[in-house]
Amino acid sequence: MLWIYALVGLLIGTVLGIIISRITTPGYKRQKTIQKDLESAKFELEQQKQDLTDHFAKTADMLDSLGKEYTKLYQHMAKTSSELLPSLPEQDNPFSKKVAEQSDASTKAPTEKTSSVISEAPKDYASGSTGLLKEEKKQQLSADQAIAAEAS
């Protein structure tokens, strides 16, 4: 019975010793603070990434709306310049070329353009069979043959 008390006492002493040494060890405390710093840095990094993503999304929307507003302004200037200054020669009107190009582009039928695009094959297609799926055995060169082939 004495041996059982001794083993239980030894076990309890060992567990208490490990717990006390972990708490009082300066390296353990330092490790905990470094771990907390690492987790906070990771959180800040993720927050900055999210803020950056939100910023670029908002900026893209603003640039899109700015482009649309600029187009509206340009169209308004072109329209009013021809209405307010009808006697102005065409070469002196800075908007006359753009207005003519826009009216030509709007009068073209969109089906003509798409039909010509559809009839052409994409430029990256091979004109014939490429042989990728053929079961021909290809000649394998040794290192000396490959060096000689590159040299020639």
Side-chain angles (χ1 to χ4, degrees), residues 10 41 46 54 71 93 108 121 124 130 132 137:
L10 182 63
E46 288 299 319
D54 293 343
T71 303
N93 189 351
K108 279 187 178 180
D124 62 344
T130 60
L132 288 176
K137 291 206 172 197

Side-chain angles (χ1 to χ4, degrees), residues 1-13:
M1 189 76 160
L2 185 61
W3 288 100
I4 294 175
Y5 290 133
L7 286 174
V8 171
L10 182 63
L11 184 64
I12 291 174

Side-chain angles (χ1 to χ4, degrees), residues 5 11-12 22 25 35-36 56 72 75-77 85-86 93 97-98 103 109 118 138 145 147-148:
Y5 290 133
L11 184 64
I12 291 174
R22 295 281 274 175
T25 304
Q35 184 69 26
K36 286 180 184 178
F56 283 134
K72 283 183 188 177
Q75 290 172 349
H76 172 74
M77 293 295 291
L85 301 171
N93 189 351
K97 292 180 185 177
K98 299 291 182 179
S103 64
I118 292 173
K138 297 193 177 192
Q145 291 173 338
I147 292 172

Side-chain angles (χ1 to χ4, degrees), residues 27-90:
Y28 180 73
K29 290 179 182 177
R30 184 171 176 232
Q31 179 188 6
K32 284 293 187 183
T33 57
I34 290 173
Q35 184 69 26
K36 286 180 184 178
D37 291 344
L38 177 64
E39 289 174 5
S40 66
K42 283 182 180 179
F43 177 75
E44 288 176 9
L45 179 64
E46 288 299 319
Q47 188 66 33
Q48 285 179 348
K49 285 181 181 179
Q50 185 62 40
D51 291 344
L52 193 62
T53 302
D54 293 343
H55 169 73
F56 283 134
K58 185 176 180 181
T59 303
D61 290 340
M62 292 171 74
L63 284 173
D64 186 44
S65 66
L66 180 67
K68 289 177 183 176
E69 292 297 321
Y70 176 75
T71 303
K72 283 183 188 177
L73 175 66
Y74 189 85
Q75 290 172 349
H76 172 74
M77 293 295 291
K79 180 181 174 187
T80 56
S81 70
S82 62
E83 289 175 359
L84 295 176
L85 301 171
S87 62
L88 187 67
E90 194 169 307

